[in-house]
Amino acid sequence: MKKTYKIEVDCANCANLMEDAARKTAGVQTATVNFMTQKMIVDFAEGQDAKAVMQNVLSACKKVEPDCEIFL
């Protein structure tokens, strides 16, 4: 299942770091962060609870970019 989320990130490098953190999160198959459109597209592994996984993605992203926001 693929979902798109609005994000708030300050620079392209931060967006790349957030993308890497999201990809490494359990339950995420793929993740793409687009700095220009301020969007994150996440493709979840089958059978995963998107809300629970996104809480983990948000935590992982905040470790690399503390002031980032993902609007769940």
Side-chain angles (χ1 to χ4, degrees):
M1 166 178 41
K2 199 177 277 194
K3 288 192 169 201
T4 302
Y5 298 91
K6 173 108 177 79
I7 63 168
E8 191 174 292
V9 62
D10 299 332
C11 67
N13 186 51
C14 298
N16 286 335
L17 294 172
M18 286 176 62
E19 185 175 295
D20 288 341
R23 285 183 178 159
K24 293 175 184 172
T25 304
V28 174
Q29 232 173 353
T30 62
T32 306
V33 174
N34 188 315
F35 172 67
M36 296 301 288
T37 62
Q38 297 281 294
K39 294 195 186 223
M40 175 185 276
I41 301 170
V42 180
D43 191 10
F44 299 96
E46 192 161 329
Q48 294 295 316
D49 176 22
K51 270 190 171 178
V53 172
M54 283 309 294
Q55 289 298 327
N56 294 334
V57 168
L58 179 59
S59 294
C61 288
K62 288 220 179 252
K63 286 179 185 171
V64 295
E65 185 56 39
D67 63 344
C68 76
E69 288 294 330
I70 302 173
F71 300 97
L72 307 175

